[in-house]
Short mmCIF file of all heavy atoms in Angstrom, two decimals:
data_model
loop_
_atom_site.label_atom_id
_atom_site.label_comp_id
_atom_site.label_asym_id
_atom_site.label_seq_id
_atom_site.Cartn_x
_atom_site.Cartn_y
_atom_site.Cartn_z
N THR A 48 2.50 -10.15 -3.58
CA THR A 48 3.13 -10.72 -2.44
C THR A 48 4.45 -10.07 -2.07
O THR A 48 4.73 -9.70 -0.89
CB THR A 48 3.42 -12.27 -2.59
OG1 THR A 48 2.18 -12.90 -2.89
CG2 THR A 48 4.12 -12.93 -1.50
N MET A 49 5.22 -9.80 -3.05
CA MET A 49 6.55 -9.07 -2.82
C MET A 49 6.29 -7.66 -2.34
O MET A 49 6.96 -7.18 -1.40
CB MET A 49 7.39 -9.11 -4.10
CG MET A 49 7.83 -10.53 -4.50
SD MET A 49 8.77 -10.53 -6.02
CE MET A 49 10.37 -10.06 -5.47
N TYR A 50 5.32 -7.00 -2.92
CA TYR A 50 4.96 -5.61 -2.52
C TYR A 50 4.52 -5.55 -1.04
O TYR A 50 5.02 -4.76 -0.27
CB TYR A 50 3.90 -5.05 -3.41
CG TYR A 50 3.50 -3.61 -3.09
CD1 TYR A 50 4.29 -2.61 -3.51
CD2 TYR A 50 2.33 -3.41 -2.22
CE1 TYR A 50 3.93 -1.26 -3.19
CE2 TYR A 50 2.02 -2.07 -1.99
CZ TYR A 50 2.78 -1.02 -2.46
OH TYR A 50 2.40 0.20 -2.14
N LEU A 51 3.66 -6.51 -0.66
CA LEU A 51 3.18 -6.60 0.72
C LEU A 51 4.27 -6.93 1.73
O LEU A 51 4.23 -6.55 2.87
CB LEU A 51 2.00 -7.55 0.79
CG LEU A 51 0.73 -7.07 0.05
CD1 LEU A 51 -0.33 -8.19 0.19
CD2 LEU A 51 0.26 -5.77 0.70
N ALA A 52 5.23 -7.72 1.23
CA ALA A 52 6.40 -8.14 2.11
C ALA A 52 7.43 -6.96 2.21
O ALA A 52 8.41 -7.08 2.93
CB ALA A 52 7.01 -9.35 1.50
N GLY A 53 7.24 -5.89 1.46
CA GLY A 53 8.14 -4.75 1.52
C GLY A 53 9.44 -4.94 0.75
O GLY A 53 10.43 -4.23 1.07
N ILE A 54 9.38 -5.83 -0.23
CA ILE A 54 10.58 -6.02 -1.08
C ILE A 54 10.89 -4.76 -1.85
O ILE A 54 9.97 -4.16 -2.36
CB ILE A 54 10.34 -7.22 -2.01
CG1 ILE A 54 9.93 -8.51 -1.27
CG2 ILE A 54 11.54 -7.45 -2.92
CD1 ILE A 54 10.95 -9.05 -0.35
N LYS A 55 12.16 -4.42 -1.97
CA LYS A 55 12.48 -3.11 -2.66
C LYS A 55 12.25 -3.36 -4.16
O LYS A 55 12.39 -4.41 -4.72
CB LYS A 55 13.93 -2.83 -2.38
CG LYS A 55 14.25 -2.44 -0.96
CD LYS A 55 15.73 -2.26 -0.80
CE LYS A 55 16.05 -1.81 0.67
NZ LYS A 55 17.39 -1.56 0.85
N THR A 56 11.94 -2.18 -4.79
CA THR A 56 11.74 -2.22 -6.24
C THR A 56 12.89 -2.78 -6.97
O THR A 56 12.69 -3.55 -7.92
CB THR A 56 11.40 -0.74 -6.73
OG1 THR A 56 10.22 -0.31 -5.97
CG2 THR A 56 11.09 -0.76 -8.22
N LYS A 57 14.10 -2.42 -6.63
CA LYS A 57 15.27 -2.90 -7.33
C LYS A 57 15.40 -4.46 -7.30
O LYS A 57 15.80 -5.12 -8.23
CB LYS A 57 16.54 -2.23 -6.91
CG LYS A 57 17.03 -2.59 -5.51
CD LYS A 57 18.33 -1.97 -5.18
CE LYS A 57 18.83 -2.36 -3.82
NZ LYS A 57 20.12 -1.84 -3.45
N ASP A 58 14.91 -5.00 -6.15
CA ASP A 58 14.92 -6.48 -6.01
C ASP A 58 13.81 -7.07 -6.87
O ASP A 58 13.99 -8.15 -7.40
CB ASP A 58 14.81 -6.88 -4.56
CG ASP A 58 16.09 -6.48 -3.77
OD1 ASP A 58 17.18 -6.51 -4.39
OD2 ASP A 58 15.88 -6.02 -2.59
N MET A 59 12.63 -6.37 -6.96
CA MET A 59 11.63 -6.91 -7.79
C MET A 59 12.09 -6.86 -9.26
O MET A 59 11.69 -7.69 -10.06
CB MET A 59 10.33 -6.10 -7.56
CG MET A 59 9.61 -6.40 -6.29
SD MET A 59 7.97 -5.71 -6.13
CE MET A 59 8.42 -4.21 -5.18
N MET A 60 12.83 -5.77 -9.65
CA MET A 60 13.22 -5.65 -11.01
C MET A 60 14.11 -6.84 -11.39
O MET A 60 14.00 -7.40 -12.49
CB MET A 60 14.13 -4.33 -11.13
CG MET A 60 13.32 -3.09 -11.05
SD MET A 60 14.41 -1.58 -10.86
CE MET A 60 15.45 -1.72 -12.31
N LYS A 61 15.00 -7.28 -10.48
CA LYS A 61 15.87 -8.41 -10.72
C LYS A 61 15.00 -9.67 -10.82
O LYS A 61 15.20 -10.55 -11.75
CB LYS A 61 16.88 -8.56 -9.65
CG LYS A 61 17.95 -7.55 -9.64
CD LYS A 61 18.89 -7.65 -8.48
CE LYS A 61 19.87 -6.45 -8.40
NZ LYS A 61 20.65 -6.43 -7.18
N HIS A 62 14.07 -9.85 -9.84
CA HIS A 62 13.28 -11.03 -9.90
C HIS A 62 12.41 -11.22 -11.12
O HIS A 62 12.38 -12.28 -11.76
CB HIS A 62 12.32 -10.99 -8.68
CG HIS A 62 11.38 -12.19 -8.59
ND1 HIS A 62 11.76 -13.45 -8.09
CD2 HIS A 62 10.06 -12.26 -8.89
CE1 HIS A 62 10.74 -14.23 -8.18
NE2 HIS A 62 9.66 -13.54 -8.66
N PHE A 63 11.77 -10.15 -11.59
CA PHE A 63 10.92 -10.24 -12.79
C PHE A 63 11.61 -9.91 -14.06
O PHE A 63 11.09 -10.10 -15.15
CB PHE A 63 9.72 -9.21 -12.64
CG PHE A 63 8.77 -9.58 -11.56
CD1 PHE A 63 8.79 -8.93 -10.35
CD2 PHE A 63 7.94 -10.70 -11.74
CE1 PHE A 63 7.91 -9.26 -9.34
CE2 PHE A 63 7.01 -11.07 -10.72
CZ PHE A 63 6.98 -10.33 -9.48
N ASP A 64 12.96 -9.49 -14.00
CA ASP A 64 13.69 -9.09 -15.16
C ASP A 64 12.99 -8.05 -15.98
O ASP A 64 12.81 -8.19 -17.18
CB ASP A 64 14.06 -10.32 -15.99
CG ASP A 64 15.34 -10.10 -16.81
OD1 ASP A 64 16.01 -9.07 -16.61
OD2 ASP A 64 15.66 -10.90 -17.71
N ARG A 65 12.51 -7.00 -15.33
CA ARG A 65 11.87 -5.92 -15.87
C ARG A 65 12.35 -4.61 -15.35
O ARG A 65 12.93 -4.51 -14.27
CB ARG A 65 10.32 -5.99 -15.67
CG ARG A 65 9.65 -7.22 -16.29
CD ARG A 65 8.24 -7.25 -15.95
NE ARG A 65 7.49 -8.43 -16.43
CZ ARG A 65 6.78 -8.55 -17.46
NH1 ARG A 65 6.50 -7.47 -18.17
NH2 ARG A 65 6.21 -9.74 -17.77
N SER A 66 12.08 -3.51 -15.99
CA SER A 66 12.63 -2.18 -15.64
C SER A 66 11.81 -1.63 -14.45
O SER A 66 10.72 -2.12 -14.08
CB SER A 66 12.44 -1.22 -16.77
OG SER A 66 11.05 -0.92 -17.07
N ARG A 67 12.39 -0.60 -13.81
CA ARG A 67 11.76 0.08 -12.74
C ARG A 67 10.39 0.58 -13.14
O ARG A 67 9.38 0.45 -12.42
CB ARG A 67 12.65 1.24 -12.24
CG ARG A 67 12.01 2.04 -11.13
CD ARG A 67 12.92 3.16 -10.53
NE ARG A 67 14.15 2.54 -10.00
CZ ARG A 67 14.22 1.95 -8.73
NH1 ARG A 67 13.26 2.00 -7.98
NH2 ARG A 67 15.37 1.48 -8.31
#
Side-chain angles (χ1 to χ4, degrees):
T48 300
M49 293 176 81
Y50 180 82
L51 292 175
I54 305 296
K55 294 180 180 181
T56 302
K57 69 178 182 176
D58 294 324
M59 288 189 263
M60 290 168 56
K61 290 177 189 171
H62 177 77
F63 292 105
D64 204 9
R65 295 179 187 255
S66 69
R67 178 175 299 278

